[in-house]
């Protein structure tokens, strides 16, 4: 079954999150996703609040920037949230925006190397292992969590470039593809992910999460055009009513996406209404 989510964008003030969570919970939304964009809102703090304010809603973080966060800290925070709210946190990590990483003195020469080392260490720590490693960037000396998750959670990684997408297949349990990607991009990503999985000998399920920029209501076409950038693939994004959006979701699923997360524009003034639209109008048509 296709999982449908929606994004609470961090361009909204944090104090609006509680009402959005309430609407998501009551309307039956599968997943609510949060971003840790510099320098807007914390992914971990926002996720903790959203999980506490809900009973069944799954909350995704897409994504935590690996250069900004020590892997042991990410493991501690993830394990704590997972034990408090079992099976409801979906964690994504990634390179982070390189300009932002440079602003805080965290930029590295090889983001791909860092992410591979980070994912391996994070997955081991969350599996309850005692980890000693001396990589190029990730260095741990006899580190183990006192309170690991009862069941190791799935760890997703976000990626754009071919090397990073292939790395996701080799080192992560799922891949987050952002809204610049269209159906052709999802198909290409699936091929790269499968190659990475085969290379690493991984056989478990690998979840592909596609983000879809979706705009509805008055002036939808103009608002979509204003949000698009030169990086967006030709078929990325959709403007129109629930039927048009659902058709775009189905196209991404046919291309290989397991989860589709709908993303409003940055200047959308009604995040509650967007969540309600996704859950009550789009979801039944998928």
């Amino acid at each position: 079954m296709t999982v449908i989510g929606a994004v609470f964008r961090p361009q909204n003030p944090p104090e609006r999150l509680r009402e959005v969570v309430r609407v998501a919970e009551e309307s039956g939304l599968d997943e609510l996703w949060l971003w840790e964009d510099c320098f807007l809102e914390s992914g971990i703090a926002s996720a903790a609040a959203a999980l506490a304010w809900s009973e069944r809603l799954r909350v995704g973080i897409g994504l935590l920037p690996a250069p900004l966060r020590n892997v042991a800290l990410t493991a501690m925070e993830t394990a704590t949230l997972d034990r408090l709210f079992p099976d409801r946190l979906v964690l994504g990590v990634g390179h982070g925006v390189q300009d932002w990483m440079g602003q805080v003195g965290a930029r590295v020469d090889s983001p791909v190397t860092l992410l591979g080392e980070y994912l391996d260490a994070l997955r081991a720590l969350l599996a309850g292992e005692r980890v000693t490693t001396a990589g190029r960037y990730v260095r741990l000396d006899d580190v183990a969590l006192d309170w690991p998750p009862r069941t190791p959670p799935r760890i997703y990684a976000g990626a754009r470039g071919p090397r990073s997408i292939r790395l996701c297949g080799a080192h992560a349990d799922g891949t987050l593809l952002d809204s610049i990607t269209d159906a052709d991009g999802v198909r290409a990503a699936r091929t790269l992910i499968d190659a990475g999985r085969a290379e690493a000998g991984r056989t478990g399920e690998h979840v592909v999460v596609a983000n879809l920029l979706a705009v509805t209501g008055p002036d939808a076409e103009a608002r979509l055009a204003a949000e698009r950038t030169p990086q967006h693939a030709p078929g990325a994004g959709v403007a129109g009513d629930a039927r048009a959006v659902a058709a775009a979701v189905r196209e991404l699923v046919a291309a290989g996406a397991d989860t589709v997360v709908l993303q409003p524009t940055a200047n959308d003034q009604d995040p509650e209404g967007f969540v309600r639209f996704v859950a009550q109008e789009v979801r039944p048509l998928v």
Side-chain angles (χ1 to χ4, degrees):
M1 185 182 86
T2 303
V3 176
I4 301 296
V7 175
F8 174 81
R9 293 186 61 149
Q11 286 82 7
N12 295 299
E15 56 269 25
R16 294 201 65 173
L17 177 60
R18 184 167 193 158
E19 181 61 15
V20 171
V21 170
R22 184 191 68 79
V23 171
E25 177 90 347
E26 292 180 357
S27 64
L29 186 71
D30 297 335
E31 296 180 352
L32 181 68
W33 282 76
L34 309 167
W35 295 352
E36 184 164 271
D37 276 4
C38 297
F39 301 93
L40 294 166
E41 293 164 16
S42 160
I44 292 292
S46 298
L51 289 163
W53 290 330
S54 57
E55 295 292 335
R56 53 135 208 104
L57 183 68
R58 284 171 61 83
V59 176
I61 304 176
L63 45 74
L64 298 179
L68 191 63
R69 292 177 166 273
N70 184 281
V71 69
L73 176 63
T74 298
M76 290 163 58
E77 292 179 320
T78 302
T80 300
L81 288 177
D82 188 80
R83 290 184 71 109
L84 289 169
F85 310 102
D87 302 320
R88 291 178 53 212
L89 176 69
V90 185
L91 179 69
V93 298
H95 300 311
V97 175
Q98 295 307 295
D99 287 346
W100 290 340
M101 298 303 99
Q103 281 183 269
V104 297
R107 188 166 186 165
V108 298
D109 291 332
S110 178
V112 172
T113 300
L114 167 58
L115 187 58
E117 294 178 356
Y118 198 98
L119 287 166
D120 289 347
L122 181 60
R123 289 175 56 239
L125 289 169
L126 293 174
E129 298 177 19
R130 185 169 296 277
V131 181
T132 296
T133 185
R136 180 174 176 182
Y137 298 109
V138 176
R139 298 179 179 87
L140 299 173
D141 181 11
D142 196 31
V143 176
L145 299 176
D146 285 358
W147 295 102
R150 292 183 173 88
T151 301
R154 304 177 66 85
I155 303 300
Y156 297 7
R160 282 188 176 181
R163 287 183 62 208
S164 296
I165 293 174
R166 187 174 181 131
L167 179 144
C168 292
H171 295 270
D173 304 308
T175 300
L176 303 176
L177 302 173
D178 67 18
S179 64
I180 69 169
T181 306
D182 61 6
D184 287 342
V186 172
R187 277 186 282 270
R190 270 289 186 189
T191 299
L192 291 166
I193 290 164
D194 289 344
R197 282 161 49 78
E199 184 180 273
R202 302 199 67 191
T203 57
E205 181 187 19
H206 189 100
V207 176
V208 173
V209 180
N211 279 268
L212 174 64
L213 179 59
V215 190
T216 191
D219 302 320
E221 291 283 357
R223 289 163 53 216
L224 174 62
E227 186 86 1
R228 289 172 59 85
T229 71
Q231 293 178 309
H232 280 80
V238 60
D241 61 10
R243 291 186 180 279
V245 174
V249 170
R250 291 193 297 269
E251 187 176 0
L252 292 173
V253 171
D258 302 293
T259 297
V260 179
V261 181
L262 275 63
Q263 171 186 321
T265 59
N267 61 359
D268 190 295
Q269 299 298 305
D270 186 14
E272 299 87 356
F274 184 80
V275 164
R276 197 176 287 111
F277 168 74
V278 172
Q280 297 183 343
E281 298 186 45
V282 177
R283 184 72 183 88
L285 300 176
V286 174

